[in-house]
Amino acid sequence: MSTSSEPRPREPHTTVLGMVGGGQLARMTALDAARLGVDVRVLAGASDQGVRGLFEVVDGGHDDPAALRRLADQVDVVTFDHELVPLDAIAALEADGHPVRPSSTTLSFTDKLHQRQAFADAGLPVPPFARVTSTDEVETFAAAHGWPVVLKAPRGGYDGRGVSVADDLAAAEDMLTAAAGRPLLAEAHLDLTMELAVLVVTSATGERAVYDVVESVQVEGMCREVHAADGHLSVSMVAEGRRLGERVADLVESVGVLAVELFVVGDEVLVNEIAPRPHNSGHHTIDGCVTSQFENHARAVLGWPLGSVAPTAPSTVMVNVVGTDVDPRERAALVTEDVRIHLYGKSVRPGRKIGHVTATGTDHDEVAARARRAAAILEGSAPTSDTGATT
């Protein structure tokens, strides 16, 4: 597949989707868009591996306004696989008439301080929080809400990065020093019952679809498993998760997939964070729903009718494959469980998400065990004899 920095002629009568960022989310969105006959062009930097060799790449950084404009000039709609884009450059594209979805308005909510304050002002239930730039402010917050205190960078954090837990004032001072004067979001350290996520898809035409609320299992700040199953969550919890997801989507004027992450504390459901794009909590939809989040994101930003979000099985469990010192591509043939394997074509390093597996079925515990075994084999932490395979 070609790489270019200059626009190439487009095929007549072809819809062209532009994707900023070349990681696994871009890869999976582009693969589903291509099945629909959509031409995909991706703005990708040198370290973006997920799409190279599969789709046409426009070389350039996501933070380079000139590169963003080169992409926008070649496509019908610009969308994203992450939020780390300069809002002023996106607003300039919009001012020149380029359709950008989600918009700069929606993307502004990815600043956690702006997001949390706007949600609180709108009456949404959120964890106790404060904007802090000094140890005095952290100490005041801790006096009201107790230690430890969670400190988050407003932008750029994911998979546990940019999030720290301060057990005392000395630890908080170290984190503030590392922030070099930039404000942090201080948040109460909550005793969580569980974490949930809901994906709300809104088309450019206003059509909306909401995927079933799922449980997201986090390990050291990284999503490890996603559970979607009949009866796994209470009816009231599902209804509240959906209600909050739709309220948030309206507030941020979302177009495309919006992932809303939720905390459950006792019987209360709180809004934690959002991601205006396809999200790890929706990877199960590739195999567990009629239409994946990736296809529906492409449909939504292009203004096409949305596909059905109905589940295809009573139970679906997704488990991430996290990098060790083992290349999962060398072990994929050893997985003979009834699962679907998705590897992202990324270089392997410890702690990096390099793929996922999905299992479906009727018995939730059995489905989860099957998915976990397959992920463990790919990571090299389970004996291959568990699969019955021979080498």
Side-chain angles (χ1 to χ4, degrees), residues 126-152:
V126 296
F129 73 98
R131 179 186 186 276
V132 297
T133 57
S134 69
T135 52
D136 287 346
E137 290 173 330
V138 175
E139 190 170 27
T140 298
F141 183 80
H145 302 287
W147 294 98
V149 171
V150 180
L151 294 173
K152 296 181 177 181

Side-chain angles (χ1 to χ4, degrees), residues 280-354:
N280 200 173
S281 62
H283 288 1
H284 69 286
T285 63
I286 301 174
D287 304 304
C289 294
V290 174
T291 311
S292 78
Q293 66 163 342
F294 301 102
E295 178 178 332
N296 261 339
H297 183 74
R299 286 177 170 273
V301 300
L302 291 168
W304 292 10
L306 300 179
S308 168
V309 298
T312 57
S315 178
T316 300
V317 175
M318 185 234 43
V319 179
N320 277 318
V321 178
V322 180
T324 59
D325 57 355
V326 173
D327 189 332
R329 292 169 295 189
E330 298 175 359
R331 300 177 67 85
L334 304 178
V335 177
T336 59
E337 306 287 346
D338 183 12
V339 299
R340 296 292 299 274
I341 300 172
H342 301 264
L343 299 178
Y344 305 151
K346 298 164 66 174
S347 59
V348 178
R349 63 171 181 259
R352 186 184 203 188
K353 287 187 292 194
I354 52 178

Side-chain angles (χ1 to χ4, degrees), residues 210-231:
V210 184
Y211 287 91
D212 287 348
V213 178
V214 298
E215 180 186 6
S216 172
V217 179
Q218 309 289 316
V219 177
E220 297 180 350
M222 177 187 289
C223 177
R224 184 61 176 171
E225 299 180 358
V226 171
H227 295 253
D230 289 346

Side-chain angles (χ1 to χ4, degrees), residues 28-91:
M28 289 183 276
T29 303
L31 287 170
D32 271 7
R35 286 192 304 100
L36 301 174
V38 175
D39 186 4
V40 181
R41 303 184 190 185
V42 182
L43 179 66
S47 63
D48 289 324
Q49 301 170 310
V51 296
R52 292 187 180 272
L54 294 174
F55 299 95
E56 180 168 356
V57 171
V58 177
D59 280 314
H62 61 267
D63 54 355
D64 180 353
L68 289 165
R69 187 166 293 277
R70 282 200 306 273
L71 177 71
D73 286 341
Q74 302 184 42
V75 303
D76 293 301
V77 176
V78 175
T79 192
F80 309 90
D81 88 336
H82 60 72
E83 305 85 49
L84 306 178
V85 291
L87 293 181
D88 54 350
I90 298 305

Side-chain angles (χ1 to χ4, degrees), residues 156-169:
Y158 66 97
D159 288 347
R161 299 172 180 85
V163 179
S164 302
V165 178
D167 292 318
D168 52 34
L169 201 58

